[in-house]
């Protein structure tokens, strides 16, 4: 069962009205989506750092240094 489905089951059991449930689900979706973006940004940051380290180990970027 998905996280949102489980939460909906609990909300219905607690007697929440439909407007409150819709608002709560929208908030959960925003939070879940923003987590994905943060993870993607962390991966991009890690990739950029890896590229910097590789450039430093190989003596720089050969394309910008005249193709030596």
């Amino acid at each position: 069962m998905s996280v949102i489905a489980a939460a909906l089951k609990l909300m219905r059991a607690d007697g929440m009205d439909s407007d409150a449930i819709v608002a709560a689900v929208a908030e959960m979706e925003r939070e879940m989506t923003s987590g994905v973006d943060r993870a993607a940004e962390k991966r991009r940051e890690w990739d950029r750092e890896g590229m910097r380290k590789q450039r430093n180990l190989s003596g720089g970027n050969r394309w910008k240094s005249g193709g030596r």
Side-chain angles (χ1 to χ4, degrees), residues 25-62:
V25 169
E27 179 63 26
M28 284 186 276
E29 287 177 338
R30 273 193 299 277
E31 289 175 5
M32 292 172 83
T33 303
S34 66
V36 171
D37 293 341
R38 276 187 249 127
E41 181 53 37
K42 276 302 232 188
R43 283 192 301 274
R44 284 190 292 270
E45 181 182 326
W46 185 81
D47 288 343
R48 285 189 300 266
E49 183 62 27
M51 290 174 70
R52 263 187 240 114
K53 287 179 181 177
Q54 184 63 34
R55 244 190 337 264
N56 290 339
L57 290 174
S58 66
N61 185 340
R62 69 183 189 143

